[in-house]
Amino acid sequence: MDILTPWLRSYLPALDVTDAQLAEDLTLRGIAVEGTFPLEGGGTRYEMDITTNRVDAMNHYGVAREVAAIYNVALKPIAETAAVAANVEGAAYPVRIEAQDLCGRFTARVVRGVAVKASTGKIAEYFRALGQKPISGPVDVTNFGWLAMGQPTHVFDLDTLEGAIVVRRAKAGERLRLLDGSDKVLVADDLVVADEKKALALAGVMGGWESRVTEATKNILVEAAWFDPAAIRASSRRHGLHTDASHRFERGADFAAAPLANNLVTRLVVEQAGGEVAGPMTDVVIPALAAKTADRAPIALRVSEVQRHLGTTADGAGIREEIVARYLTALGCSLTETAKGAYAVKLPSWRLDLEREIDLIEEVARVYGYNKFANTLPTFTGTVVELPQAAAESAIRTTLRALGYSEAISSTFCAAEEAAAFASAPAVALGNPLSAEAGMLRPALTPGMATMLAHNLHRDVTTVRLFEMGTVFTGSTAKVNEHVGLSLGLTGDARATALYKAEDALFYELKGTLEAVLAKFAGVVTLDAQELPAWVAAGRGARVLLDGAPVAVFGELAAAEAQKRKLRQTVAMAEVNAAALLERALRQPVSQEISRYQAVERDFSFVFPDSVRWEAIEAAVRGLGVAELQSVAPVEIFRDAKGKAIAAGSYSLLTRVVFQSTERTLAEEDLTGSSARIVVALTGLGGVQRA
């Protein structure tokens, strides 16, 4: 948002630092000034980046409060005239809050006999400097109010109202035309400001068309209220509206600000449009919501804890007790001493982000200036204790990096349709999601992996090898289950070998990667093609079992999922239950002396039925117990599509066996006997030796 230094200085008459110094000091305190732009006639426009938890600083008076705390200068109150601030003769306008869980406070005041015209004076001057579009005096005044103190307000044409103001939930199907000209069909969860007959405004988001102030308006009702953040956020997103009002209400407005804002706007309406205030201000408060916001219980603060956490300052003096009290008081806290060096701190209504003692300690450090603390290492006793699963996690990461994979991190959230497509376990829905695309806690890592692969491919990075190890969430909002997951993704640079074609290369590369990872853990690895999820392309995936228990699934991404992401080349992914791996013991490497005697290779060419898998062939050879057997590996596989050289339903496999003794050079008779036993074993699997 933009902040004008002339407006700031109107609240800080004793401030004597330059705009440049002020910008630097604010930035060092977390109220970041990202750009400065000189104004005609003097002063500066700050382009500021205020974090979402600091809604209190999203206005000129909030920033001025920070400045007053930093420089220890007096802060002028928001101006009010006695005639407006005090009760005046007449009856208060009737207000009834029916949705008492969603509206905690509502103020209303009547101004009669106005003449609507263009804004003048400081409002017009500040709006020009900010690039704010002027509309009319009373409407500009409401915009001036939230720019000044952060509290959204609204003005109604009083003569369009029928009876009392009623704050209620909308009726399902109720229609409302808003100020932007759009017609909205409301749902029962929407909160509206209404009269006795109709809805007047979508509460906290936008006013209605029929009750808007125009040049013909003669009488005005000024409104300032507090609405529940979650309700406003839901309505804003449901109807595709994001306004200055909703931006602030969604983040938690100041419960105590409504009367002050109503007084300010009422005074300025009279200044800009004439007229007279008729009757006192109506102020309806719901105590239960006030207790959660403006009337929160005090926080215990110990100065010794402030000093312990913050340590030594650059000047060596440390944080003294009077500094703690001064800073917190300047920020709006009320301190009551409960013991020597201990206080009960009453929190300001505008700082909903303060909840614990450590939050107050952080505020002291922030206002004092992080750059003013000495560079010291924290005290430490004891030793660093490695987490029980650290070695296993390191083994997985090291193996994958060695195989050419880069570690990546994806979002913890995903869309509901992605959760359903990539995981069989129930996903956990968020109460207040950032968007429809981030409405669920991820039940698997594969949705994020697919997104990352697509992100690379859409930016012409055609060869990608990624892995992610992170937490996945299943269950319900009542009980969330967390465990560690592992996801792998690869695409591009798929090369044929003697064992498989280029179109199968990604599948077999991913299979080999998983085997390399699982080889780090104790257990027997097997594969099958049962119970594959829908995201795996038909006939292009497999399930990995460790000692008979499923631990991973992998395969090529199904065409439907690839089309959603506009992927034009094959993508392969794997989802691994890393938690199951981390419970197992790591294999311990064992070294042995290298044989000084020559190794001898023997090749065996057999035709096998398609039902015979490699793991059975390898097990049959190794199961012979030949002491000199060093390795057995497939070298070449061949199928004849026409069924001439090799019958349909069969394949030819060239297997290479390596023999080597650690005690002597092997003689031909040794090799002949072992080879004959291997031929018998492979024949027993249904194989036919080729000549």
Side-chain angles (χ1 to χ4, degrees):
M1 68 172 296
D2 290 345
I3 294 291
L4 304 178
T5 58
W7 197 342
L8 277 183
R9 292 178 185 276
S10 70
Y11 301 127
L12 302 159
L15 185 65
D16 61 356
V17 300
T18 65
D19 287 354
Q21 184 63 50
L22 178 59
E24 181 179 347
D25 290 342
L26 281 171
T27 302
L28 288 172
R29 269 77 178 182
I31 311 296
V33 179
E34 295 201 328
T36 59
F37 306 91
L39 299 173
E40 293 183 10
T44 306
R45 175 173 62 86
Y46 290 159
E47 188 177 277
M48 308 196 73
D49 180 19
I50 309 297
T51 54
T52 55
N53 66 315
R54 291 301 308 275
V55 65
D56 64 290
M58 295 179 182
N59 57 83
H60 284 77
Y61 199 75
V63 176
R65 185 187 297 115
E66 292 287 320
V67 176
I70 294 169
Y71 296 108
N72 194 26
V73 295
L75 176 67
K76 288 177 61 176
I78 295 286
E80 298 176 8
T81 62
V84 173
N87 290 339
V88 295
E89 294 183 1
Y93 199 87
V95 172
R96 185 169 71 253
I97 300 178
E98 293 183 354
Q100 296 191 2
D101 57 330
L102 303 182
C103 177
R105 190 169 201 169
F106 197 98
T107 66
R109 199 162 214 165
V110 174
V111 181
R112 295 188 179 275
V114 301
V116 177
K117 55 187 177 181
S119 301
T120 60
K122 287 294 184 184
I123 293 180
E125 177 187 336
Y126 289 158
F127 275 28
R128 282 194 299 271
L130 290 169
Q132 181 81 20
K133 180 183 177 181
I135 301 173
S136 66
V139 176
D140 292 346
V141 162
T142 62
N143 291 331
F144 182 90
W146 67 257
L147 286 168
M149 57 178 296
Q151 172 65 39
T153 58
H154 190 67
V155 287
F156 297 96
D157 186 328
L158 182 65
D159 297 324
T160 65
L161 307 189
E162 301 177 84
I165 289 289
V166 182
V167 186
R168 59 173 172 81
R169 284 179 166 83
K171 302 169 186 175
E174 187 173 10
R175 304 187 71 90
L176 175 63
R177 190 179 188 191
L178 299 176
L179 286 174
D180 63 357
S182 63
D183 291 304
K184 301 296 182 184
V185 178
L186 306 180
V187 301
D189 289 332
D190 288 325
L191 181 67
V192 296
V193 178
D195 58 22
E196 300 287 1
K197 301 291 185 181
K198 61 187 179 299
L200 302 172
L202 188 58
V205 181
M206 187 178 289
W209 181 267
E210 292 183 9
S211 59
R212 74 192 190 282
V213 170
T214 67
E215 292 182 357
T217 298
K218 300 301 179 184
N219 303 303
I220 284 176
L221 181 73
V222 179
E223 167 260 308
W226 183 93
F227 302 116
D228 177 70
I232 303 307
R233 185 182 302 112
S235 286
S236 174
R237 292 180 181 170
R238 186 180 300 119
H239 297 290
L241 297 168
H242 182 79
T243 63
D244 293 317
S246 68
H247 186 81
R248 283 152 181 79
F249 279 124
E250 287 177 20
R251 287 156 178 78
D254 178 2
F255 193 93
L260 183 61
N262 196 306
N263 283 334
L264 173 64
V265 171
T266 302
R267 175 178 68 80
L268 293 175
V269 164
V270 174
E271 286 184 4
Q272 294 291 323
E276 294 183 352
V277 178
M281 179 172 62
T282 305
D283 186 5
V284 180
V285 177
I286 305 302
L289 293 181
K292 296 179 180 179
T293 53
D295 298 332
R296 291 173 293 164
I299 295 176
L301 175 68
R302 295 156 292 176
V303 176
S304 60
E305 282 298 287
V306 177
Q307 295 168 339
R308 184 179 72 84
H309 280 284
L310 301 186
T312 307
T313 56
D315 60 7
I319 300 295
R320 301 184 302 277
E321 185 171 345
E322 58 268 25
I323 292 178
V324 174
R326 190 183 83 198
Y327 286 164
L328 294 180
T329 301
L331 292 174
C333 299
S334 299
L335 278 67
T336 301
E337 190 171 14
T338 57
K340 180 63 176 175
Y343 295 90
V345 180
K346 177 67 175 175
L347 302 171
S349 58
W350 54 84
R351 290 299 301 273
L352 298 180
D353 59 313
L354 302 180
E355 299 178 342
R356 303 169 298 165
E357 180 183 42
I358 194 64
D359 295 333
L360 299 177
I361 295 172
E362 183 181 1
E363 286 299 288
V364 173
R366 185 180 63 81
V367 178
Y368 183 81
Y370 293 121
N371 58 318
K372 295 181 180 179
F373 288 93
N375 294 325
T376 58
L377 292 172
T379 58
F380 176 75
T381 57
T383 59
V384 176
V385 178
E386 189 175 61
L387 294 175
Q389 297 175 336
E393 290 184 4
S394 178
I396 293 173
R397 287 187 166 94
T398 301
T399 301
L400 290 171
R401 292 192 190 107
L403 291 171
Y405 287 74
S406 298
E407 185 166 8
I409 300 175
S410 65
S411 173
T412 309
F413 312 119
C414 68
E417 60 182 18
E418 287 190 330
F422 284 91
S424 57
V428 181
L430 297 176
N432 297 306
L434 297 173
S435 66
E437 293 73 25
M440 315 291 286
L441 287 173
R442 62 185 183 191
L445 296 179
T446 35
M449 180 57 67
T451 299
M452 291 188 292
L453 291 172
H455 183 87
N456 280 273
L457 290 175
H458 294 160
R459 286 155 181 80
D460 297 327
V461 181
T462 57
T463 300
V464 186
R465 301 291 185 271
L466 297 176
F467 79 92
E468 179 180 10
M469 186 182 294
T471 305
V472 296
F473 310 86
T474 58
S476 65
T477 52
K479 183 179 180 181
V480 180
N481 303 310
E482 301 181 25
H483 69 270
V484 180
L486 172 66
S487 180
L488 289 80
L490 64 162
T491 185
D493 194 24
R495 301 176 183 177
T497 71
L499 294 174
Y500 47 77
K501 301 175 183 178
E503 56 264 31
D504 300 328
L506 283 179
F507 175 89
Y508 284 107
E509 181 182 341
L510 185 54
K511 171 179 175 288
T513 300
L514 290 172
E515 289 174 338
V517 171
L518 296 178
K520 298 292 180 179
F521 298 89
V524 177
V525 177
T526 55
L527 286 85
D528 65 27
Q530 300 177 16
E531 301 177 8
L532 296 182
W535 65 264
V536 177
R540 308 295 290 176
R543 190 175 63 154
V544 184
L545 300 92
L546 192 59
D547 288 339
V551 294
V553 62
F554 72 99
E556 295 178 3
L557 188 63
E561 294 298 330
Q563 289 170 3
K564 289 180 185 177
R565 295 164 175 81
K566 300 179 180 179
L567 301 177
R568 297 182 180 178
Q569 67 183 51
T570 304
V571 165
M573 298 193 306
E575 181 79 25
V576 183
N577 182 0
L581 292 183
L582 298 178
E583 292 175 355
R584 291 176 171 265
L586 282 171
R587 292 185 187 274
Q588 298 302 316
V590 177
S591 63
Q592 61 183 22
E593 186 178 354
I594 298 174
S595 175
R596 301 183 229 176
Y597 302 100
Q598 182 177 0
V600 181
E601 296 178 351
R602 286 290 184 268
D603 290 346
F604 300 86
S605 182
F606 272 77
V607 176
F608 290 103
D610 283 343
S611 59
V612 178
R613 297 164 58 180
W614 168 252
E615 61 185 9
I617 296 171
E618 183 181 22
V621 175
R622 292 191 178 277
L624 295 173
V626 178
E628 293 81 11
L629 178 66
Q630 296 298 314
S631 68
V632 53
V635 176
E636 185 178 281
I637 190 169
F638 172 72
R639 283 185 171 86
D640 185 0
K642 297 181 180 180
K644 295 181 178 180
I646 302 296
S650 300
Y651 64 94
S652 174
L653 176 67
L654 178 64
T655 303
R656 180 162 295 158
V657 177
V658 178
F659 300 96
Q660 187 177 32
S661 172
T662 59
E663 300 175 351
R664 60 190 174 86
T665 300
L666 295 175
E668 184 62 32
E669 54 268 23
D670 298 321
L671 299 174
T672 300
S674 297
S675 297
R677 294 175 63 193
I678 292 174
V679 169
V680 172
L682 297 182
T683 302
L685 293 176
V688 176
Q689 189 173 18
R690 300 185 69 186

